[in-house]
Amino acid sequence: DRCPENCIDCQNDNTVCLQCGNVVDGKKSFGFNIDENANYNGKCSPCSQKCSECDFSTFCAGCNEGYGVERNDLPLEYSKCVQCTIEHCKYCDLDTSVCSECMEGYLLKDNQKECVPCIKNCKECSDTDTCDRCEDGYTYSSTEKECKICTPNCKLCEDANTCFECNDRYTTDDDGHCVPCTDAHCIK
């Protein structure tokens, strides 16, 4: 009744896999296994190292963070992931010296050859002097051009003194401050 391991969809009395993937989350972290003659054998194998998504176990369609698909003269079914050459680069495609997205807290420069840091405690920025989204527990002050810490035990705040969402086991009072929950079974 069950498909082979790492197979999402199968046929022929569940012996031939039609779609490989991680059965738990549906991600394509497994690809079809092909033999040395490039023949598909109906089984699934993990994607090659540093590869996050593949159709065939040796053909990488997407790489883990910090890696890009290597441009080489081999057939596409033998592509592999290599580390991006740009520091703090999250994704680089085909050319590992060109970044398509920087890691959290960094901004991609126009030339796509550099990731520069956002201001302190900032997760996302569209330029290096402002912040579009601060880390949890901080809020952006446009007058001071910095991410300011929220009131104690606050996860998301409107300004440094008014909390929208408190940490677990805390709730907001009438003044917008986080106070401990009074119910012993309170989680949020």
Side-chain angles (χ1 to χ4, degrees):
D1 282 339
R2 292 184 53 198
C3 291
E5 189 176 11
N6 305 315
C7 180
I8 296 172
D9 187 22
C10 55
Q11 69 178 21
N12 294 355
D13 297 326
N14 300 331
T15 58
V16 176
C17 188
L18 300 174
Q19 181 181 1
C20 296
N22 186 326
V23 180
V24 176
D25 60 14
K27 290 187 178 177
K28 295 198 64 163
S29 53
F30 290 87
F32 293 117
N33 189 8
I34 53 176
D35 64 23
E36 62 276 354
N37 298 318
N39 294 319
Y40 165 59
N41 65 8
K43 307 231 182 303
C44 300
S45 293
C47 297
S48 59
Q49 191 174 16
K50 309 295 183 205
C51 182
S52 61
E53 185 177 331
C54 61
D55 293 318
F56 294 95
S57 59
T58 56
F59 169 60
C60 191
C63 297
N64 293 338
E65 285 186 14
Y67 291 84
V69 177
E70 181 180 45
R71 197 182 277 188
N72 57 32
D73 294 332
L74 295 172
L76 278 177
E77 60 267 15
Y78 294 102
S79 62
K80 64 180 181 177
C81 294
V82 293
Q83 191 165 13
C84 301
T85 58
I86 298 169
E87 193 173 8
H88 307 292
C89 182
K90 187 174 186 177
Y91 298 111
C92 55
D93 297 321
L94 299 178
D95 184 348
T96 58
S97 66
V98 175
C99 187
S100 55
E101 184 182 340
C102 294
M103 293 184 177
E104 191 173 90
Y106 290 86
L107 172 68
L108 183 62
K109 295 297 275 190
D110 293 335
N111 65 5
Q112 294 186 299
K113 301 268 186 191
E114 185 180 12
C115 292
V116 294
C118 299
I119 62 173
K120 186 177 180 185
N121 301 312
C122 180
K123 279 185 168 183
E124 293 176 15
C125 60
S126 46
D127 65 60
T128 56
D129 295 334
T130 61
C131 184
D132 299 327
R133 189 168 65 110
C134 295
E135 293 176 3
D136 285 352
Y138 289 84
T139 186
Y140 182 68
S141 167
S142 56
T143 54
E144 298 176 51
K145 292 196 182 259
E146 68 177 323
C147 289
K148 309 247 333 154
I149 196 163
C150 300
T151 59
N153 301 304
C154 180
K155 190 175 196 175
L156 299 172
C157 56
E158 177 180 347
D159 57 48
N161 298 314
T162 309
C163 190
F164 277 139
E165 183 181 341
C166 296
N167 292 334
D168 289 350
R169 302 192 188 281
Y170 287 85
T171 188
T172 51
D173 64 12
D174 294 337
D175 297 324
H177 296 102
C178 295
V179 294
C181 292
T182 54
D183 183 346
H185 302 288
C186 174
I187 294 174
K188 288 195 173 245

